[in-house]
């Protein structure tokens, strides 16, 4: 497989500018900035000298390392994965690990829809549907989340979006319903009333909603971003990255298919003389 190479990368699927988390792509090192707070818990005087008890505590527990998350994935799925898929999966799980353990991270169904969309695009054409599902399970479990919840929530949002149009999609706040409630909760948190961590998976989830509702006009995306209190400029930038990645992924899969077809033809050509020799040998023995 040395003849098949690809240059696409999913390293852009996370952000490094968050205060709680820093990523240095040049040195390939990761650094967590953990909030640290101190408070006084007691003061007493003895022999004219003041003694003060100072207690410090971290605002977050130590998250698992990237290596631990990757190891959990490899333990959960032990079968070999073709390199064209495995290379991207390994990079993708590193990026999602960084998203997952940011202090502001909170799971939401729109994020899940975005990830499931990316995963299905990546694994399209995988040799075995059963293995593809098993890899998904191992991947999400390695991040200490529920793969079934990802699937259920993504399907729920997809079914809802198919029943929407350009108008109803952006007017979710004026209606009641399960998905409408999910979107309202996101809008409140993104507006500063709770934990919200924007990511490119979130942007891809938005794009999927628009796609399924057949509401691809730029003005609809702008209105939907405003309704969710999300920066449209960030969404536009991240969707451009996503489209570019998909294009490169398609090219890489085409290269793989060409390589497999070429190798198959070579094997067939090598096998033809051998079959002919076997036929001649069999004919000679038959004439004896």
């Amino acid at each position: 497989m040395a003849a098949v190479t690809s240059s696409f990368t999913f390293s852009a699927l996370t952000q490094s500018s968050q205060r709680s988390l820093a990523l240095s792509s040049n040195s390939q090192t990761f650094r967590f900035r953990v909030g640290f707070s101190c408070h006084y818990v007691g003061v007493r005087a003895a022999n004219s000298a003041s003694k003060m008890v100072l207690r410090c505590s971290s605002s977050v527990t130590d998250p698992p390392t990237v290596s631990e998350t990757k190891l959990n994935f490899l333990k959960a799925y032990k079968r070999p994965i073709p390199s064209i898929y495995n290379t991207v999966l390994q990079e993708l799980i590193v990026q999602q690990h960084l998203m997952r353990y940011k202090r502001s991270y909170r799971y939401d169904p729109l994020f899940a829809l975005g990830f499931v969309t990316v995963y299905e695009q990546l694994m399209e054409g995988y040799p075995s549907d059963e293995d593809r599902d098993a890899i998904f399970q191992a991947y999400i479990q390695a991040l200490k989340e529920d793969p079934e919840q990802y699937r259920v929530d993504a399907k729920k949002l997809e079914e809802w979006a198919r029943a929407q149009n350009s108008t109803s999609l952006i007017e979710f706040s004026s209606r009641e319903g399960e998905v409408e409630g999910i979107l309202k909760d996101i809008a409140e948190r993104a507006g500063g009333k709770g934990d919200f961590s924007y990511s490119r998976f979130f942007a891809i989830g938005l794009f999927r909603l628009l796609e399924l509702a057949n509401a691809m006009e730029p003005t609809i995306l702008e209105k939907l971003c405003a309704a969710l209190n999300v920066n449209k400029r960030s969404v536009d930038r991240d969707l451009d990255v996503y489209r570019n990645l998909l294009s490169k992924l398609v090219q890489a899969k085409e290269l793989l298919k060409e390589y497999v077809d070429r190798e198959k033809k070579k094997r067939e050509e090598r096998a033809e003389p051998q079959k002919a020799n076997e036929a001649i040998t069999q004919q000679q023995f038959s004439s004896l």
Side-chain angles (χ1 to χ4, degrees):
M1 296 294 290
V4 181
T5 59
S6 59
S7 60
F8 58 90
T9 173
F10 275 79
S11 61
L13 282 173
T14 189
Q15 292 176 303
S16 60
S17 59
Q18 301 299 324
R19 293 182 180 179
S20 61
L21 181 65
L23 165 63
S24 173
S25 58
N26 293 330
S27 61
Q28 296 184 340
T29 59
F30 307 98
R31 181 174 71 259
F32 284 92
R33 296 179 182 174
V34 180
F36 204 78
S37 60
C38 299
H39 59 277
Y40 301 110
V41 296
V43 178
R44 67 184 178 88
N47 298 327
S48 300
S50 296
K51 292 187 177 181
M52 183 169 56
V53 179
L54 184 66
R55 179 176 296 165
C56 299
S57 61
S58 171
S59 61
V60 295
T61 58
D62 292 336
T65 65
V66 172
S67 297
E68 288 171 337
T69 295
K70 293 178 72 173
L71 183 60
N72 288 338
F73 172 66
L74 294 175
K75 287 180 177 178
Y77 188 83
K78 297 181 174 63
R79 300 186 64 182
I81 300 173
S83 60
I84 191 172
Y85 300 99
N86 191 48
T87 300
V88 182
L89 280 171
Q90 290 299 320
E91 187 173 352
L92 193 59
I93 201 170
V94 170
Q95 305 307 324
Q96 193 164 350
H97 171 99
L98 299 176
M99 298 178 198
R100 167 72 175 84
Y101 292 106
K102 285 164 58 176
R103 285 186 297 169
S104 59
Y105 174 79
R106 176 177 162 184
Y107 170 87
D108 70 59
L110 199 53
F111 176 95
L113 175 60
F115 173 76
V116 170
T117 299
V118 170
Y119 184 84
E120 293 300 329
Q121 291 280 357
L122 166 63
M123 301 298 284
E124 184 180 9
Y126 197 78
S128 166
D129 290 342
E130 183 179 350
D131 287 343
R132 181 175 58 190
D133 291 339
I135 292 169
F136 181 88
Q137 295 276 334
Y139 181 104
I140 299 299
Q141 288 172 353
L143 292 159
K144 300 187 185 303
E145 292 192 310
D146 183 357
E148 186 63 23
Q149 184 179 22
Y150 268 72
R151 289 291 194 190
V152 169
D153 286 342
K155 183 178 180 181
K156 184 187 306 177
L157 288 177
E158 286 177 339
E159 291 176 349
W160 178 84
R162 288 189 181 96
Q164 306 306 310
N165 55 44
S166 299
T167 302
S168 64
L169 187 65
I170 61 177
E171 293 180 349
F172 65 85
S173 61
S174 63
R175 304 197 312 273
E176 298 297 325
E178 184 177 7
V179 174
E180 286 83 356
I182 290 171
L183 297 178
K184 290 176 188 177
D185 175 66
I186 292 172
E188 288 182 2
R189 290 187 288 111
K193 296 182 180 180
D195 289 334
F196 177 76
S197 179
Y198 171 82
S199 72
R200 289 185 170 92
F201 286 134
F202 183 91
I204 294 166
L206 281 182
F207 178 80
R208 184 63 174 154
L209 290 182
L210 294 171
E211 187 177 45
L212 293 172
N214 195 26
M216 300 298 288
E217 301 91 342
T219 55
I220 302 302
L221 175 60
E222 182 177 0
K223 292 177 181 178
L224 183 57
C225 288
L228 289 169
N229 295 315
V230 175
N231 188 310
K232 181 179 180 293
R233 186 173 298 177
S234 296
V235 172
D236 285 337
R237 180 190 64 237
D238 295 337
L239 290 180
D240 285 341
V241 172
Y242 173 60
R243 295 185 189 101
N244 185 47
L245 292 173
L246 288 183
S247 176
K248 290 182 178 180
L249 184 61
V250 169
Q251 293 173 16
K253 288 183 177 181
E254 288 176 352
L255 286 174
L256 176 64
K257 184 178 184 301
E258 290 175 4
Y259 173 83
V260 171
D261 291 344
R262 187 165 59 249
E263 291 299 306
K264 181 180 179 181
K265 184 176 180 180
K266 289 180 180 178
R267 288 195 299 271
E268 291 174 349
E269 290 174 350
R270 288 194 296 266
E272 287 179 1
Q274 183 178 353
K275 289 180 180 179
N277 290 335
E278 290 175 354
I280 293 173
T281 301
Q282 185 175 7
Q283 184 177 10
Q284 290 175 341
F285 275 107
S286 299
S287 61
L288 293 178

